[in-house]
């Protein structure tokens, strides 16, 4: 039984028994900020188990993609060296939310294992919690398991809990005896390699309070988890998960890329197993929006990738290869996860960039390491520099240190790491602790009234050269990318005292106004602070537009998009975001469409004030680099956008009028920038465009168009002649295979029409031939295949181009005698074209 069949049989079995089959959730948990990655099937149902969410079903089943490579559950160091450790794996699970309980769960498990999968009953063993009399009785009564194959274990082995408090309960683990060939082992304490746990049934029946007291739940629930890779090994008669059809093909592909057959060298075999597993994690994590970085999930991904690259390097692999292996993973797992094919090119670009970065920085880092090692040890400061500046993980450094027989001051490294984290925390939370000028620190607090009014009576609390402080102000102080308000200060009699050019927060809660004084003002004076309404309204349109843009980008490009900076001012908005490649016109158009769809719908812009932790739990996005207090403002636009934001916004999205993107480009590796305009700014741009068109109104456009068509025709004729003349040059490159002329090569500079002409010319000239020509332009690949009529019963042009297209990340096909295709990966083209010769030989 294949891995795919095992997965499908599980889901079908439970669907037939009233379970809703739920698709796998993302590897990035959306409902649990305490988790680094999704690591169990129950993660996506956590709120259901806790009673915080109610769904329209009480039974569910899923095949959940999981990663365990950080935090409490971290299998990374063991991967590749053992039979069953992985960073990426799939967990099959069935769940009951207050529906059935132990009896049905045990009956389902027994029937599926023994009848559905056909496992021998005598090779199954069971563990239960030491106090769970009911589970032991049911295994005997429902399943007929002999008592001598049921073992009672303590709380640390057979009692599961979601956290220190909350739902918990006993569990039953099901083990399978692989036989003596697997190695020594005995149940229950020394399972060794012989007895493998394949399924865990958790019976959530208690609620644990802070004192540790257990109270029975009114509606007990069931959460089970079966390791797909482990069950595949059992059913396919393999001792190692890596030998199953889920993983072994990836190992074999790694062997091809390494140019080292699997099974001939232990060290190379380990590197291939590591790469097979890590390629799975890498492909799936990037697909779910995680990008390599030096923080959080991105750091763990980078560590996984670099562990793969380092092990490949240690067995002599130096050229980029991992991007090809992740592509193979997507192909291999497309039946269960078809969405992987949609991101295959994006994943390849990210991985290839990281491979180049690793190769470049590793050389520099290695020199720095060697210089530092001359002292006999690597200091904590040097070690942290290797990590922070060169991206060399501590584990990599320790491997290098072992090779040289020197030590690394891990304690010193930890101190430096904590300093950096402290700096990061200070940049995000607790702005009140930042160091400020004592002059500003001494100022009294400023009451901000600018959300309710644009004009307020205020008292001058300080005059500092060209700056004025007030006890209350309607002027928004520059923050969060939004510029400070402009306006005037006037006397009670209406005389203008000063022009306010901007406002900023000189210290937490203390606003200072940058002014151009027209008449002297002194401390204690009463003034009217008046914000320029046109400027403020334009800024609010752009700020709310920024939120719509952020949400639209995440919808179109993926949830990996995160804000990396912004400027919101009256004339425009500028938004920087994480994304690895330029946006094409279709993507920009769709982002623009989504934004204006929300504007036309005239959605209300809601603002709620709540505790920071509460806000984060609601799913509101917080931005690194922003400074949040204990209480925050959450700006929500229907279900489309929800962000923490202290800025000023329009009351309804319709107030924006329209939003038009005017620029998209790169500002650094992995960071893009969009500029856009709204409201009157967009109207002005439209009017200017009309004026430009009017300037050309007097030109005879019909003559210009005719001239352009004539030139295009001449160009096509010239290209056709060049193509025909090149036929002679290509004849010498053809190979004769079993009496048939075969040519498969790249000829750049031709579009698809010229390729067809050239293929036709060669095919007609050679009478019995197979011709495959391809060209590249930018990142696009064009392929044309032609087969003479006498060969089409054996050689199919459509199948030939289909194989090449798949190799270059595209698709195509056609008739047996003529076919076309396209692709997006020019780097893979030469190898794919060369493969044609052996493929055709096989067909003939």
């Amino acid at each position: 039984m294949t891995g795919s069949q095992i997965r499908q049989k599980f889901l079908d079995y439970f669907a037939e028994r009233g379970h809703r089959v739920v698709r796998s959730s993302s590897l990035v948990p959306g409902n649990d900020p305490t988790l680094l990655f999704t690591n169990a099937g129950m993660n996506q149902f956590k709120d259901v188990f806790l009673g915080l969410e109610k769904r329209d079903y009480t039974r569910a089943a899923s095949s959940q993609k999981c990663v365990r490579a950080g935090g409490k559950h971290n299998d990374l160091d063991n991967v590749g060296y053992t039979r069953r450790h992985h960073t990426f794996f799939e967990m099959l699970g069935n769940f009951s939310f207050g529906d059935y309980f132990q009896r049905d769960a045990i009956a389902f498990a027994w029937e599926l294992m023994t009848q559905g999968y056909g496992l021998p009953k005598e090779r199954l063993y069971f563990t239960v919690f030491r106090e769970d009399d009911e589970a032991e009785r049911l295994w005997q009564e429902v399943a007929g398991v002999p008592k001598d194959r049921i073992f009672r274990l303590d709380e640390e082995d057979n009692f599961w809990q979601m956290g220190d408090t909350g739902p918990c309960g006993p569990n039953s683990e099901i083990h399978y005896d692989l036989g003596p060939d697997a190695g020594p082992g005995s149940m229950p304490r020394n399972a060794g390699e012989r007895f493998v746990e394949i399924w865990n049934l958790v019976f959530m029946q208690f609620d644990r309070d802070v004192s540790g007291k257990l109270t029975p739940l009114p509606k007990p629930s069931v959460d089970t988890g079966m390791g797909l890779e482990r069950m595949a090994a059992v059913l396919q008669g393999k001792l190692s998960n890596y030998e199953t059809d889920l993983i072994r093909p990836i190992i074999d592909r790694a062997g091809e890329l390494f140019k080292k057959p699997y099974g001939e060298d232990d060290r190379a075999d380990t590197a291939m197993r590591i790469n097979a597993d890590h390629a799975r994690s890498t492909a799936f994590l990037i697909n779910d929006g995680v990008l390599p970085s030096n923080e959080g999930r991105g750091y763990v991904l980078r560590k996984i990738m670099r562990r793969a690259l380092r092990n490949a390097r240690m067995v002599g692999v130096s050229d980029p290869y991992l991007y090809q292996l992740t592509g193979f993973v997507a192909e291999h797992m497309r039946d269960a996860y078809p969405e992987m094919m949609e991101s295959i090119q994006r994943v390849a670009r990210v991985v290839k960039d990281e491979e180049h970065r690793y190769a470049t920085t590793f050389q520099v880092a290695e020199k720095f390491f060697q210089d530092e090692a001359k002292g006999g040890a690597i200091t904590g400061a040097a070690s942290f520099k290797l990590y922070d500046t060169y991206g060399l993980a501590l584990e990599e450094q320790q491997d290098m240190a072992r090779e040289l027989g020197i030590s690394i001051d891990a304690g010193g490294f930890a101190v430096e790491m904590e300093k950096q984290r402290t700096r990061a925390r200070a940049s995000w939370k607790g702005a009140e602790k930042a160091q400020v000028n004592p002059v500003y620190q001494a100022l009294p607090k400023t009451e901000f009234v600018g959300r309710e009014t644009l004009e307020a009576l205020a008292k001058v609390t300080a005059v500092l050269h060209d700056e004025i402080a007030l006890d209350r102000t309607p002027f928004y102080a520059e923050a969060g990318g939004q510029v400070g308000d402009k306006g005037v200060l006037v006397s009670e009699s209406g005389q203008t005292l000063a022009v306010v050019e901007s406002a900023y927060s000189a210290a937490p809660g203390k606003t200072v106004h940058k002014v151009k004084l027209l008449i002297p003002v002194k401390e204690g004076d009463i003034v009217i602070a008046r914000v320029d309404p046109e400027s403020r309204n334009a800024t609010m349109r752009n700020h709310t537009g920024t939120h719509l843009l952020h949400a639209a980008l995440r919808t179109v490009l993926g949830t990996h998009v995160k804000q990396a900076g912004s400027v919101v001012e009256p004339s425009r908005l500028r938004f920087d975001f994480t994304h690895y490649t330029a946006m094409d016109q279709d993507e920009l158009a769709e982002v623009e469409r989504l934004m204006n769809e929300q504007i036309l719908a005239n959605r209300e812009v809601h603002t709620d004030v709540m505790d920071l932790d509460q806000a984060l739990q609601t799913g509101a996005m917080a931005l690194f680099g922003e400074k949040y207090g204990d209480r925050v403002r959450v700006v929500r636009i229907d279900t489309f956008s929800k962000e923490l934001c202290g800025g000023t916004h329009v009351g309804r999205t319709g107030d924006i009028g329209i939003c038009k993107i005017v620029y998209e480009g790169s500002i650094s590796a992995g960071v893009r920038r969009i500029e856009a305009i709204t409201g009157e700014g967009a109207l002005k741009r439209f009017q200017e465009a009309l004026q430009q068109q009017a300037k050309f109104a007097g030109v005879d456009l019909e003559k210009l168009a005719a001239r352009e068509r004539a030139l295009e025709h001449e160009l096509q004729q010239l290209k056709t002649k060049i193509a025909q003349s090149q036929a002679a040059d290509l004849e010498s490159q053809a190979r004769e295979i079993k009496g048939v002329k075969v040519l498969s090569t790249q000829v750049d500079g031709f579009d698809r029409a010229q390729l067809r002409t050239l293929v036709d010319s060669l095919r007609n000239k050679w009478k019995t031939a197979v011709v495959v020509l391809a060209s590249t332009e930018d990142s696009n690949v064009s392929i044309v295949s032609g087969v003479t009529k006498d060969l089409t019963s054996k050689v199919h042009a459509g199948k030939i181009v289909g194989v090449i297209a798949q190799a270059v990340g595209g698709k195509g096909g056609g008739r047996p005698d003529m076919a076309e295709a396209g692709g997006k990966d020019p780097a893979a083209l030469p190898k794919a074209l060369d493969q044609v010769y052996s493929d055709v030989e096989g067909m003939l």
Side-chain angles (χ1 to χ4, degrees):
M1 191 178 293
T2 68
S4 291
Q5 291 170 336
I6 295 168
R7 183 194 297 112
Q8 195 59 50
K9 180 175 282 291
F10 184 96
L11 298 176
D12 290 345
Y13 175 87
F14 283 103
E16 291 164 3
R17 287 154 183 79
H19 291 65
R20 174 76 62 85
V21 175
V22 181
R23 64 173 304 197
S24 172
S25 65
S26 169
L27 285 169
V28 179
N31 64 340
D32 191 347
T34 66
L35 271 182
L36 190 66
F37 300 116
T38 298
N39 59 20
M42 63 78 57
N43 290 162
Q44 68 167 308
F45 304 113
K46 180 178 178 180
D47 288 347
V48 182
F49 285 124
L50 290 172
L52 302 175
E53 178 188 353
K54 186 172 179 61
R55 302 196 182 183
D56 61 355
Y57 51 86
T58 57
R59 299 180 174 198
S62 69
S63 177
Q64 175 65 51
K65 53 190 178 185
C66 301
V67 165
R68 291 184 178 176
K72 177 183 175 184
H73 301 290
N74 185 358
D75 295 334
L76 185 60
D77 292 340
N78 294 317
V79 172
Y81 294 96
T82 68
R83 296 173 180 174
R84 293 188 279 272
H85 280 103
H86 307 285
T87 57
F88 177 89
F89 61 96
E90 291 181 78
M91 187 175 285
L92 304 172
N94 60 291
F95 309 91
S96 164
F97 312 119
D99 189 331
Y100 61 84
F101 196 50
Q102 280 179 301
R103 174 176 288 274
D104 286 338
I106 287 172
F108 288 152
W110 181 254
E111 183 180 45
L112 179 57
M113 285 189 301
T114 59
Q115 296 180 35
Y117 291 135
L119 294 179
K121 300 176 182 179
E122 67 276 8
R123 302 184 86 170
L124 294 170
Y125 292 78
F126 307 84
T127 63
V128 299
F129 179 50
R130 64 169 185 265
E131 299 171 11
D132 195 354
D133 299 334
E134 183 71 359
E136 183 182 55
R137 182 182 69 79
L138 289 171
W139 279 118
Q140 295 175 75
E141 180 183 308
V142 174
V145 177
K147 188 172 182 179
D148 62 0
R149 292 218 306 276
I150 305 172
F151 304 92
R152 295 193 182 222
L153 294 179
D154 294 331
E155 185 166 346
E156 62 268 21
D157 296 301
N158 278 79
F159 194 92
W160 182 91
Q161 57 190 55
M162 195 175 293
D164 293 336
T165 61
C168 57
N171 63 286
S172 282
E173 293 178 352
I174 304 169
H175 296 256
Y176 184 81
D177 181 5
L178 292 172
D181 289 346
S186 61
M187 288 293 292
R189 290 292 184 186
N190 299 299
E193 295 284 8
R194 176 170 174 171
F195 296 90
V196 55
E197 179 193 339
I198 54 174
W199 206 346
N200 187 12
L201 314 183
V202 177
F203 308 118
M204 281 187 271
Q205 62 189 103
F206 301 110
D207 184 19
R208 189 195 296 270
D209 65 18
V210 290
S211 69
K213 180 184 175 183
L214 298 177
T215 304
L217 290 169
K219 288 187 176 181
S221 297
V222 173
D223 156 30
T224 84
M226 173 196 289
L228 175 60
E229 291 79 7
R230 293 186 177 201
M231 183 57 86
V234 167
L235 292 175
Q236 293 174 16
K238 307 296 184 182
L239 296 180
S240 168
N241 295 358
Y242 289 90
E243 294 298 327
T244 68
D245 71 330
L246 293 167
I247 305 176
R248 180 56 192 265
I250 308 173
I251 293 175
D252 291 336
R253 178 60 179 142
E256 292 173 7
L257 294 169
F258 288 12
K259 297 180 174 59
K260 296 177 185 292
Y262 184 71
E264 293 187 357
D265 177 79
D266 288 344
R267 184 66 192 88
D269 289 351
T270 300
M272 289 180 221
R273 288 193 295 270
I274 288 171
N275 270 271
D277 173 90
H278 291 6
R280 298 210 308 168
S281 289
T282 297
F284 276 87
L285 284 171
I286 296 174
N287 177 75
D288 282 356
V290 182
L291 295 176
S293 72
N294 280 348
E295 287 290 333
R297 295 184 178 102
Y299 169 66
V300 177
L301 170 59
R302 175 165 281 168
K303 187 161 69 169
I304 290 171
M305 295 174 71
R306 293 196 169 187
R307 185 171 186 262
L309 295 170
R310 186 176 73 252
N311 276 275
R313 184 181 286 271
M314 289 169 69
V315 295
V317 181
S318 56
D319 292 334
Y321 71 92
L322 187 58
Y323 76 98
Q324 296 182 66
L325 198 56
T326 55
F328 182 82
V329 167
E331 294 274 2
H332 184 58
M333 303 189 73
R334 67 190 301 175
D335 289 344
Y337 302 97
E339 67 274 14
M340 293 295 290
M341 295 304 296
E342 297 172 10
S343 66
I344 193 168
Q345 294 303 319
R346 179 171 63 85
V347 172
R349 284 194 295 271
V350 173
V351 174
K352 202 168 187 180
D353 282 351
E354 187 66 14
E355 289 191 84
H356 286 309
R357 186 176 292 110
Y358 177 76
T360 302
T361 58
F362 186 83
Q363 293 175 354
V364 180
E366 189 173 39
K367 184 179 185 306
F368 179 83
F369 185 92
Q370 297 286 355
D371 291 342
E372 292 294 319
K374 291 174 183 176
I378 304 294
T379 65
S383 177
F384 183 75
K385 183 174 181 180
L386 282 162
Y387 158 77
D388 193 45
T389 304
Y390 301 114
L392 204 62
L394 181 60
E395 293 87 343
E396 293 178 275
Q397 298 177 43
Q398 289 169 333
D399 285 348
M400 294 166 67
R402 275 192 291 272
E403 292 171 8
L404 296 177
I406 62 172
S407 62
I408 291 179
D409 180 8
F413 175 89
V415 169
E416 296 295 327
M417 177 66 81
E418 186 55 37
K419 287 180 184 177
Q420 187 200 54
R421 287 174 179 154
T422 300
R423 289 192 295 270
R425 284 193 293 268
S427 76
W428 180 67
K429 186 178 178 180
E432 63 278 0
K433 297 178 182 177
Q435 295 296 314
V436 297
N437 188 317
V439 174
Y440 296 128
Q441 190 70 60
L443 293 173
K445 291 271 188 179
T446 309
E447 179 189 1
F448 177 58
V449 296
R451 301 188 196 280
E452 300 80 31
T453 180
L454 295 184
E455 184 174 307
L457 201 64
K459 182 170 74 173
V460 176
T461 57
V463 178
L464 308 166
H465 188 46
D466 58 351
E467 296 180 337
I468 290 177
L470 304 173
D471 64 340
R472 59 202 303 266
T473 183
F475 286 86
Y476 179 82
E478 180 178 347
Q482 179 175 331
V483 298
D485 281 328
K486 296 179 179 180
V488 293
L489 300 180
V490 300
S491 68
E492 291 182 274
S493 63
Q495 187 176 23
T496 302
L497 304 172
V499 175
V500 179
E501 297 174 336
S502 183
Y504 71 98
S505 181
K510 300 172 182 183
T511 299
V512 169
H513 307 75
K514 292 184 72 69
V515 300
K516 182 177 180 181
L517 277 172
L518 304 178
I519 297 174
V521 175
K522 64 182 184 299
E523 186 176 331
D525 283 356
I526 302 299
V527 300
I528 298 171
R530 184 178 296 152
V531 174
D532 175 29
E534 286 189 15
S535 176
R536 164 69 82 83
N537 290 336
T539 301
M540 291 196 301
R541 286 193 291 267
N542 284 331
H543 202 152
T544 307
T546 300
H547 285 223
L548 293 177
L549 174 60
H550 193 182
L553 285 167
R554 288 169 63 85
T555 300
V556 173
L557 301 180
T559 54
H560 65 280
V561 169
K562 300 287 188 300
Q563 182 173 333
S566 69
V567 171
V568 179
E569 53 192 19
S571 61
R572 57 152 192 170
L573 67 89
R574 191 186 80 197
F575 188 78
D576 300 338
F577 60 99
T578 56
H579 188 54
Y580 259 79
T581 186
M583 294 177 65
D584 60 34
Q585 288 303 312
D586 289 342
E587 290 169 333
L588 286 168
E590 179 62 8
V591 167
E592 217 173 60
R593 186 193 69 79
L594 288 172
M595 294 168 65
N596 286 290
E597 181 179 68
Q598 294 296 316
I599 292 169
L600 287 171
N602 199 25
R603 309 281 190 203
E604 185 176 353
V605 180
H606 295 272
T607 302
D608 300 304
V609 179
M610 60 185 75
D611 292 337
L612 175 61
D613 291 339
Q614 180 188 355
L616 294 175
Q617 287 170 8
T618 68
M621 281 193 293
L623 309 176
F624 184 84
E626 288 302 302
K627 297 174 170 59
Y628 301 114
D630 293 332
R631 300 279 289 173
V632 295
R633 300 177 67 83
V634 178
V635 177
R636 176 173 56 87
I637 303 169
D638 197 46
T639 58
F640 189 69
S641 169
K642 184 190 285 186
E643 292 188 29
L644 304 189
C645 181
T648 59
H649 290 271
V650 297
R652 303 189 75 91
T653 56
D655 298 342
I656 296 172
I658 190 171
C659 187
K660 174 65 181 171
I661 294 172
V662 296
Y663 169 81
E664 190 276 339
S666 171
I667 59 171
S668 64
V671 180
R672 310 291 300 177
R673 170 171 291 172
I674 278 179
E675 292 186 10
I677 49 180
T678 64
E680 292 180 13
L683 175 61
K684 184 179 178 183
R685 178 66 68 96
F686 175 68
Q687 290 171 333
E688 289 173 350
L690 286 178
Q691 290 171 359
Q692 282 294 109
Q693 288 181 0
K695 289 181 180 178
F696 289 102
V699 177
D700 190 335
L701 296 179
E702 194 60 42
K703 284 185 178 179
L704 283 175
R707 177 63 178 153
E708 184 178 351
R709 286 193 297 271
L711 288 172
E712 180 65 27
H713 182 65
E714 289 178 22
L715 179 60
Q716 292 298 328
Q717 286 183 321
L718 181 60
K719 283 187 174 183
T720 300
K721 288 180 181 177
I722 293 172
Q724 290 169 341
S725 67
Q726 194 158 340
D729 298 332
L730 290 172
E731 188 167 0
S732 61
Q733 298 181 34
R735 303 180 192 177
E736 188 161 312
I737 299 175
K738 297 183 179 179
V740 175
K741 280 201 171 184
V742 181
L743 175 66
S744 179
T745 190
Q746 183 171 335
V747 285
D748 288 334
F750 297 106
D751 60 22
R752 201 172 287 188
Q754 276 86 51
L755 288 178
R756 278 197 302 271
T757 300
L758 193 50
V759 168
D760 251 344
S761 177
L762 291 168
R763 188 177 56 165
N764 294 335
K765 182 178 181 181
W766 292 342
K767 306 303 182 187
T768 298
V770 177
V771 183
V772 181
L773 299 179
S775 68
T776 62
E777 184 174 354
D778 296 327
S779 60
N780 296 313
V781 178
S782 295
I783 313 153
V784 176
S785 174
V787 177
T788 51
K789 296 282 188 183
D790 59 318
L791 296 175
T792 53
S793 62
K794 296 179 179 179
V795 183
H796 194 293
K799 291 180 179 179
I800 292 175
V801 295
V803 172
I804 300 172
Q806 192 172 25
V808 297
K811 56 185 179 180
R815 305 190 312 271
D817 63 322
M818 178 69 80
E820 301 177 14
K824 295 284 188 182
D825 186 6
L829 182 60
K831 183 177 179 182
L833 289 171
D834 193 54
Q835 181 67 30
V836 169
Y837 293 106
S838 57
D839 289 347
V840 171
E841 185 173 9
M843 294 175 186
L844 292 172

